[in-house]
Amino acid sequence: MSLTDDPDLQPILFDLFLSMYLVTVLGNLLIILAVSSDSHLHTPMYFFLSILSFVDICFISTTAPKMIVDIQTQSGVISYVGCLTQMSLYAIFVCMDDMILTVMAYDRFVAICHPLHYQVIMNSRLCGFLTLVSFLLSLLDSQLHNLMILQITSFKDVEIPSFFCDPSQLLNLSCSDTSSDNIVRYFLAAVYGFFPISGIIFSYYKIISSILRIPSTGGKYKAFSTCGSHLAVVCLFFGTASGVYLSSAVSHSPRKGAVASVMYTMVTPMLNPFIYSLRNRDIKNALRRLHSRIF
């Protein structure tokens, strides 16, 4: 489903979404290049930030290019295989975003609450292990969604009330008994929603408790500044995700839900590099060094 039927808005939307996509890819690539090229940033926090930037590029690339082409060609058709592929990749990368943000919260918890043991606990082996587990859990979520969708036999010549193959919208197309699918959906919501959010909240509860025990104001500011950017990204990611599903539950207009999905799938990945580069002195310095090295 297109975002609008107004032909006069189509060129504006094409230019807008193409610009957003290019800015997102370029911004996140700069973060990856800055982290990889600067030895000062070869730490667990910036390792996970570069992983997050890579996942954001993949995340937006699953939906934005197809939507941009559809606007340009005035066509909203996608094949069965193409839809399953897009849904699978979307599920993988949205879960990876979720998992990596949770791992980053744990990293900040260790750094602030156990600073003397930080290098020992957050070693390269653990960082690689946490990244691998995040990917495997995301792959599991994607395969479970695939299994549920493949049970829908009448999945042909249907209109999906979204601008991409949203797993939640695809599951709503089923005309058969969906009680078992609903159980799996609630289970996935608990594993990939409740537990990560609980882990992030617990981490920040411990972080804030530790910061409040610091006697000097400067020390408190310095400690909190190391996790301020991450907290902003977490609020943006989970806030827009909650907004999408609340708007779809409250509003009966599919197009309004599709517009809300744009915030979640395009605006969030685009803003992440700006949040980290504008609020983080190390990233800004690394980008300056990268710029001077290239030019």
Side-chain angles (χ1 to χ4, degrees), residues 89-208:
L89 293 174
Y90 170 83
I92 288 173
F93 293 121
V94 76
C95 282
M96 273 293 286
D97 251 336
D98 188 7
M99 295 291 111
I100 293 298
L101 286 173
T102 307
V103 170
M104 291 174 77
Y106 174 72
D107 171 72
R108 293 298 83 210
F109 159 72
V110 176
I112 293 174
C113 300
H114 305 283
L116 298 178
H117 302 96
Y118 178 69
Q119 295 295 336
V120 176
I121 297 173
M122 297 303 296
N123 55 65
S124 57
R125 185 178 298 177
L126 180 63
C127 292
F129 174 74
L130 291 174
T131 304
L132 178 61
V133 169
S134 298
F135 173 72
L136 292 177
L137 286 174
S138 302
L139 188 62
L140 175 63
D141 175 69
S142 173
Q143 293 308 306
L144 287 173
H145 274 99
N146 263 336
L147 288 174
M148 288 189 290
I149 296 298
L150 288 172
Q151 292 177 5
I152 303 175
T153 55
S154 59
F155 191 46
K156 185 180 179 182
D157 296 330
V158 294
E159 182 177 347
I160 302 168
S162 181
F163 64 89
F164 69 102
C165 292
D166 189 338
S168 61
Q169 298 293 345
L170 292 176
L171 289 171
N172 291 334
L173 297 174
S174 177
C175 299
S176 58
D177 181 32
T178 58
S179 56
S180 60
D181 287 347
N182 287 333
I183 293 172
V184 176
R185 289 169 74 176
Y186 294 141
F187 172 76
L188 293 177
V191 172
Y192 297 98
F194 176 75
F195 289 123
I197 292 173
S198 300
I200 292 171
I201 291 173
F202 176 78
S203 295
Y204 274 100
Y205 165 73
K206 289 292 191 180
I207 288 169
I208 293 170

